[in-house]
Amino acid sequence: MTLIAFVVLSLAGNLSGATSAHPTAARWSVRNQPVRLVNGTPVLFRVTTPKPVRTLSGNWLGHEIAFSFDASHKSWFALAGASLETKPGEYPIQLHGEISSGQSVGPSAGRSAGQTISFEKKIRVERQRYPRVVLLTVPGRYTAPSPEDLRQIEQDKETKAEAFKTLSPGREWKGSFAPPVNAEISDVFGVQRVFNGSVQSTHKGLDFRVPSGTSVAAVNSGRVILARPLFYEGNFVVIDHGQGLLTLYLHLSSFLVKEGDDVTKGQPIGISGGTGRATGPHLHLAVRWQGVDLDPQVLLKLNLP
């Protein structure tokens, strides 16, 4: 075989779709916001692929990640998160793209013959040291519930478990998340707390110091999947933002929405109060992603498309 023939055959092989891992990997771009990731933090991944793809999916920390295409930045993006229990270390994000036919990119791109490209990058998670103990006092029934209260608590667990199963495939949120109220933060995520000197719990939300009667707004677009009074949570609203992302609003004095309502960012959903296991009037905002509790304060700071 002549040298010229060998070169031609080599080029033909490379154009057939069986590209080598190294040249492809060199042109992937994977960025995360915030840059420093810790246990308990939400994260925005932005990915640029080496070839136009019509779909992009990923897996990180055992969770499936659904990516959306941002035409203005010609990149893919998705929200994910690391649980409070995630130990420090490097965890690979595995990406898989379906190559589009032609040069168009995103869900509207033409279909191909099923060719895919893959990439893996290790993402570092560091340890966040959260405050140890805060002593709180609440009415005795919330630390020593009666048999009747215990029955309600068990029923509430089933109600929440059913709601938390929600995994709407589509993304409902648009743009950055907005604070539900304009107020100071009175307690942060991850604090270890002791109620009445005996009952211990981890604070898995963000507390805003607001008096009773303050209007509480949805932090982003979504659908109300829970709006009812529960024992510990008080008057409780849960909004599904799609792709496993939920926001929770606790201790409301009254509701302005009902289950099944579609809401937009900034829309009033309730009035603040001090119902349930609360030391006084305030708003507790919590964030869950695919069953993982995340720091709402970080989510509110992310610059999202």
Side-chain angles (χ1 to χ4, degrees):
M1 181 183 294
T2 67
L3 177 59
I4 294 177
F6 177 78
V7 171
V8 170
L9 287 174
S10 297
L11 288 173
N14 283 337
L15 292 173
S16 68
T19 55
S20 63
H22 295 295
T24 302
R27 289 171 287 172
W28 283 82
S29 171
V30 181
R31 292 170 293 159
N32 52 271
Q33 179 194 163
V35 175
R36 179 180 180 268
L37 301 185
V38 300
N39 53 311
T41 188
V43 54
L44 174 72
F45 285 117
R46 273 197 177 274
V47 177
T48 303
T49 59
K51 293 183 178 182
V53 296
R54 61 179 305 274
T55 62
L56 184 69
S57 60
N59 186 288
W60 189 56
L61 291 170
H63 294 269
E64 296 297 324
I65 304 175
F67 282 84
S68 301
F69 186 68
D70 182 1
S72 62
H73 290 81
K74 296 182 179 180
S75 64
W76 295 81
F77 66 90
L79 278 175
S83 72
L84 267 173
E85 294 73 29
T86 302
K87 298 183 182 301
E90 293 187 337
Y91 298 90
I93 181 171
Q94 299 163 333
L95 300 167
H96 305 282
E98 182 181 350
I99 300 175
S100 61
S101 58
Q103 295 302 310
S104 56
V105 185
S108 61
R111 292 185 177 275
S112 66
Q115 293 177 311
T116 61
I117 53 175
S118 300
F119 182 67
E120 181 176 297
K121 178 183 178 181
K122 291 183 178 179
I123 306 295
R124 180 158 187 80
V125 177
E126 299 180 13
R127 180 185 178 188
Q128 177 67 38
R129 296 184 180 275
Y130 293 100
R132 286 289 182 178
V133 175
V134 173
L135 303 179
L136 301 171
T137 302
V138 295
R141 65 179 299 215
Y142 292 105
T143 54
S146 67
E148 182 179 353
D149 290 338
L150 287 172
R151 285 191 291 271
Q152 182 181 346
I153 291 169
E154 287 303 312
Q155 184 177 348
D156 290 352
K157 286 181 180 178
E158 296 177 6
T159 299
K160 288 183 289 185
E162 188 63 29
F164 292 162
K165 287 179 184 177
T166 302
L167 187 58
S168 302
R171 177 177 59 88
E172 300 295 332
W173 60 270
K174 299 175 182 177
S176 298
F177 285 68
V181 292
N182 183 15
E184 294 181 357
I185 293 170
S186 56
D187 203 357
V188 296
F189 176 84
V191 176
Q192 297 296 317
R193 307 190 300 179
V194 176
F195 291 94
N196 296 0
S198 59
V199 178
Q200 298 184 9
S201 72
T202 300
H203 191 233
K204 295 181 178 178
L206 188 66
D207 286 351
F208 292 88
R209 185 180 287 112
V210 291
S212 294
T214 302
S215 179
V216 176
V219 297
N220 214 314
S221 302
R223 173 166 293 184
V224 178
I225 59 173
L226 199 62
R228 63 182 71 178
L230 301 183
F231 183 77
Y232 287 119
E233 293 81 2
N235 291 332
F236 184 41
V237 170
V238 179
I239 298 177
D240 171 26
H241 301 284
Q243 300 175 339
L245 183 67
L246 310 176
T247 54
L248 292 60
Y249 310 76
L250 284 67
H251 311 307
L252 302 173
S253 62
S254 60
F255 300 101
L256 297 178
V257 292
K258 63 183 184 301
E259 293 171 14
D261 285 353
D262 290 319
V263 296
T264 57
K265 180 166 58 177
Q267 177 180 333
I269 60 170
I271 304 297
S272 68
T275 57
R277 189 174 69 180
T279 57
H282 71 281
L283 172 68
H284 175 105
L285 172 70
V287 173
R288 287 175 65 88
W289 174 73
Q290 296 190 17
V292 173
D293 297 294
L294 301 177
D295 187 349
Q297 197 167 12
V298 176
L299 180 65
L300 294 175
K301 292 178 179 178
L302 292 180
N303 183 20
L304 303 177

